[in-house]
Amino acid sequence: MKTQNPPFIWLNVFIFASSMLLAVVVAPIYFISHGITAAHWLWLLVTFSFCNLCITAGYHRLWSHRTYQAHWSLRFIFALGGAFALQNSALHWSSDHRVHHRHVDNNDKDPYSAKRGFWFSHIGWMLRHYQSAEVYSDYSNCRDLQKEKIVMWQHKYYVPLALLMNLGVPLLLGIIYQDIIGMLLMIGAVRLVLNHHTTFFINSLAHIWGSQPYTNKNTARDNSVLAVLTFGEGYHNFHHIFENDYRNGIHWWQYDPTKWLIKTCSWLKLTEKLRMTPADKIEKAKALQLLNDTKKKIRHLPNQHDVIEKMHKEYDALISQMTEYYDLKKQLMSTKKQEMMEQYEHAVLKFRYQQMKQHFKQQQLQWLMLMKQYA
């Protein structure tokens, strides 16, 4: 017997359909006939970036995961930008996202499970009443956010704030540049469609396309191309195993403007208590995943049991060296902060650190060469 689909959420259907129609049909026709200026493109870039950063830095890393603390002024800006992005209130968004992390890929509990297909995880889950009314308004997993005045203010007045931002900003720009219709189309519709679907890619494409260097226990992927489109959220495999880290791209060369914004604001005293995953924990996760991936690749070898045994020995040796290396590194960093430390003790400790670093790098190289041999 075919299961009947739940009823449509007609407001969402109207918003997504009308904004898409205006962006891909009406806007091109208008700008072909009336012309487009640098101001249209400039403000599209500014408002698109503003909205997405308010979602990634505010809704996601600040409120959903509490990866750092922010000054009230910054939280107020994030609340306005979140309403401008038209993705529901910060309270509701965070509640859904926490459920997603807790039950990732569970088709019955994950509100946008990637295992239900691209369409469902991208936008389909918002088009029908897949969640009951009780679940939809249950914010018991966000009791911490319910204590924040700005979050609750935005939640209470979300609809007027959303209307104010999505109509007021384009109208104001239209008056300034004497093109109200053009700005309504570009900053209203085109910007909104871009904001929506680049954010939705995190739930859909980031669970389908990319690599899994840290864990394969869920569908999340790392993808540098998606990182550009999603303001750093494309390093999703890392995020799903280390969700309390304020970074998604942990290396300096990885494109993560959300991380750069949060860090820059810390220098301006607008953010504090930025949470970072210990480096040894990250290295251990990568080593374990590499071991599991390589074991799968050598299943065809006649001597696979001997090779696997050798791999495990090298893995154990690597973890041992890694633990000792990072413990000593922490000890060295700690001693640097002690003003009364004897110079001789510091020199001896530093010498031991350099030796241990060399041994660790040698062990790591030996490990990678072994993995490469059977990859």
Side-chain angles (χ1 to χ4, degrees), residues 207 210-222 237 289-290 293:
H207 283 263
S211 61
Q212 294 183 300
Y214 301 100
T215 180
N216 62 359
K217 292 182 179 179
N218 57 68
T219 56
R221 261 64 172 179
D222 272 11
N237 188 251
Q289 186 58 37
L290 180 58
D293 287 344

Side-chain angles (χ1 to χ4, degrees), residues 284-318:
K284 287 175 182 178
K286 287 175 64 178
L288 179 60
Q289 186 58 37
L290 180 58
L291 173 65
N292 292 333
D293 287 344
T294 309
K295 283 164 65 175
K296 290 179 182 179
K297 293 178 181 179
I298 63 166
R299 286 176 178 172
H300 66 286
L301 296 179
N303 62 335
Q304 63 167 303
H305 296 294
D306 294 334
V307 174
I308 289 175
E309 184 178 355
K310 185 178 179 181
M311 286 180 179
H312 275 282
K313 287 181 179 180
E314 286 295 328
Y315 172 77
D316 291 339
L318 175 70

Side-chain angles (χ1 to χ4, degrees), residues 246 260-272 274:
Y246 88 95
W260 302 333
L261 172 65
I262 296 169
K263 186 64 176 178
T264 301
C265 286
S266 71
W267 299 333
L268 301 174
K269 306 301 181 183
L270 293 174
T271 62
E272 61 180 0
L274 280 58

Side-chain angles (χ1 to χ4, degrees), residues 193-206:
V193 168
L194 290 175
N195 279 143
H196 276 167
H197 291 280
T198 52
T199 304
F200 299 166
F201 280 153
I202 303 167
N203 300 333
S204 55
L205 277 183

